[in-house]
Amino acid sequence: MNLFFSTEIDEHSIILNEDEAKHCTKVLRKTVGDNIHVIDGNGNLYLVRIDSIGKRDCVCSILQKTEHFGKHDYYLRMCVAPTKNIDRFEFFVEKAVEIGVDEIIPVCSENSERKILKLDRVERIVLSAMKQSYKAYMPKLSEMIEVDKVITSDFSGKKCIAHCEDLEKILLRNEVEPGKEITILIGPEGDFSITEIELAIQNNWIPVSLGESRLRTETAAIAAVHTVELMNQ
């Protein structure tokens, strides 16, 4: 089943924009009268029939609507420092969406080598991964913010920080509560500074470990997403 994405939806019809329409009709050779599936990023899956194909869009009639398609019970917020090599961060984003994540907040830490992040390409990766993995919920993606602001934010649920310092830590899997909200903070290649770790602990962040191996930023972030998903099965 191929999924298409649209936000141009009313009670009876859906319009695919130029990119989605081109993929549908030119690449997949769908034509008038064919049925396709469309998602809106808000959890709704639509079975629709193609009514007309134009140069810049494709108009479809809604045949059936399924709400909360693929919804999971937990809420996972990943706060991750983008890597110097942007491909590695984009790889994390793609895999996190495929596995299951609700919100991604890029953070800038004292030791971050990447201070600027262009969201346009990341947003396209989120959309593509959502469609590829048959999900109907579009994860929230925010602008990059300073890690201090994240640490002092009043998130509900558990807040966990993964770092590499030789301090007391708890395995992440032992902190995951099925069906609950959790926020996980992953640092840059140079890890968090001691000051940042101390600030997090002062603000009730739980230091966690992802295992014995020392992991790259993107590997640690993916491992964290998978751990939460696994503990919620």
Side-chain angles (χ1 to χ4, degrees):
M1 177 174 69
N2 291 295
L3 295 182
F4 301 93
F5 174 75
S6 176
T7 57
E8 296 184 67
I9 302 171
D10 61 28
E11 186 177 354
H12 302 291
S13 65
I14 289 179
I15 298 175
L16 300 183
N17 66 21
E18 187 173 359
D19 289 340
E20 293 292 289
K22 181 178 179 181
H23 181 65
C24 178
T25 61
K26 302 298 184 183
V27 177
L28 298 177
R29 303 294 184 182
K30 299 294 182 179
T31 189
V32 172
D34 286 347
N35 291 346
I36 60 173
H37 290 87
V38 179
I39 53 175
D40 61 4
N42 295 314
N44 298 307
L45 171 71
Y46 300 87
L47 173 64
V48 306
R49 181 185 63 245
I50 300 174
D51 289 340
S52 65
I53 300 171
K55 291 183 178 180
R56 295 184 179 277
D57 59 27
C58 182
V59 180
C60 309
S61 293
I62 297 174
L63 304 178
Q64 181 181 328
K65 176 182 177 181
T66 302
E67 298 180 342
H68 308 302
F69 180 76
K71 181 177 177 59
H72 53 235
D73 294 333
Y74 61 95
Y75 189 94
L76 172 59
R77 181 183 297 105
M78 291 297 300
C79 306
V80 182
T83 50
K84 181 179 181 181
N85 181 340
I86 193 59
D87 291 347
R88 294 185 180 277
F89 180 75
E90 291 174 350
F91 182 77
F92 149 69
V93 170
E94 180 183 69
K95 301 312 169 189
V97 175
E98 289 179 11
I99 296 168
V101 67
D102 299 283
E103 186 175 354
I104 298 174
I105 301 177
V107 300
C108 184
S109 172
E110 183 178 325
N111 294 326
S112 290
E113 295 188 65
R114 175 172 292 279
K115 305 291 186 180
I116 299 173
L117 178 68
K118 296 180 180 180
L119 285 187
D120 289 352
R121 177 174 167 81
V122 181
E123 288 171 344
R124 291 195 294 270
I125 291 171
V126 169
L127 175 58
S128 177
M130 177 181 65
K131 294 192 296 182
Q132 188 277 328
S133 56
Y134 299 126
K135 291 180 170 58
Y137 286 94
M138 177 88 76
K140 297 177 184 177
L141 178 66
S142 73
E143 297 280 351
M144 184 184 291
I145 61 177
E146 295 294 327
V147 71
D148 290 2
K149 294 182 180 179
V150 170
I151 289 174
T152 55
S153 294
D154 188 23
F155 298 129
S156 60
K158 286 192 176 181
K159 302 180 297 184
C160 299
I161 177 172
H163 63 77
C164 299
E165 290 294 330
D166 189 19
L167 301 172
E168 183 178 355
K169 286 175 277 190
I170 301 170
L171 283 173
L172 175 60
R173 68 168 182 262
N174 294 333
E175 288 299 323
V176 177
E177 297 181 58
K180 302 295 185 178
E181 181 173 336
I182 187 169
T183 302
I184 301 174
L185 182 57
I186 305 287
E189 287 94 333
D191 201 8
F192 294 113
S193 68
I194 288 294
T195 301
E196 290 167 337
I197 295 171
E198 291 176 347
L199 179 63
I201 294 172
Q202 290 168 11
N203 283 270
N204 301 314
W205 288 75
I206 303 168
V208 295
S209 168
L210 297 167
E212 296 297 325
S213 299
R214 186 181 179 91
L215 305 176
R216 290 180 180 270
T217 294
E218 73 279 6
T219 309
I222 294 170
V225 173
H226 184 254
T227 297
V228 173
E229 191 274 338
L230 188 63
M231 299 306 294
N232 274 276
Q233 287 183 4

